[in-house]
Amino acid sequence: MAARKKSSAGPAPRLGHGDFVAYPGGPTAIYDLLERLSEVAGDSPDFGTPGISLDRKRLTVRWHGEPPERVLALLADPGFEVTVQQTSYRPGDLRAEAARLLREHPGVLAAATARPEGDGVEVLVPPPVAESAGGADQAVAGINSEVPLFAEVGEAPPA
């Protein structure tokens, strides 16, 4: 089950799938819906990373395939705009692929995460590795994956 996280002055919290940060001053209705959605669907491999618009008035729920009735019932008439966005790949498969890539390529990748959009895996290539390969894309060119890889140069965030 997802837990509501509070923002703090310290480093950003490490969030798991189904967790979210409730920012001060945001409309509580969106966060309440996110909490209920995480309780109902947080363990589903089809449930992706939801997104809140910058003005905090719209919620995007990312899903692979057709959401089940219990999810659609939660999203019906919440009092604000909700969009269900279909993902190209199953978010659970992307999370598993990100873990596999990190496990199998520790010398090339500093981090790997499923993209919120559900269209592939974002990977971080440490600067020295990218530099010696001629860039982040070149560093991951030999890595086999069933999904698109979006490579950037960077270090893993502190644990």
Side-chain angles (χ1 to χ4, degrees):
M1 180 185 314
R4 186 177 295 223
K5 304 284 184 179
K6 301 285 185 195
S7 63
S8 67
R14 295 200 58 120
L15 302 175
H17 179 67
D19 289 343
F20 58 90
V21 175
Y23 292 98
T28 59
I30 286 182
Y31 296 120
D32 290 343
L33 178 61
L34 278 173
E35 195 166 285
R36 290 192 316 271
L37 186 59
S38 290
E39 289 170 359
V40 168
D43 293 335
S44 173
D46 295 324
F47 179 40
T49 304
I52 301 174
S53 65
L54 291 176
D55 64 4
R56 306 283 187 249
K57 294 181 180 179
R58 294 178 310 280
L59 176 67
T60 301
V61 176
R62 296 180 178 103
W63 201 275
H64 184 73
E66 185 65 28
E69 284 301 318
R70 67 184 188 279
V71 169
L72 292 175
L74 276 177
L75 303 179
D77 197 28
F80 51 88
E81 184 181 338
V82 175
T83 303
V84 176
Q85 182 181 60
Q86 295 293 312
T87 62
S88 301
Y89 296 93
R90 197 174 197 201
D93 293 345
L94 293 176
R95 291 187 294 273
E97 178 66 354
R100 181 193 72 81
L101 291 169
L102 274 177
R103 194 173 49 252
E104 293 181 8
H105 302 282
V108 177
L109 303 178
T113 57
R115 286 177 44 100
E117 298 83 359
D119 59 352
V121 173
E122 191 165 291
V123 295
L124 285 179
V125 178
V129 174
E131 187 176 315
S132 68
D137 289 331
Q138 293 82 351
V140 300
I143 295 177
N144 291 323
S145 179
E146 298 287 321
V147 301
L149 301 180
F150 295 83
E152 292 186 23
V153 177
E155 296 291 345

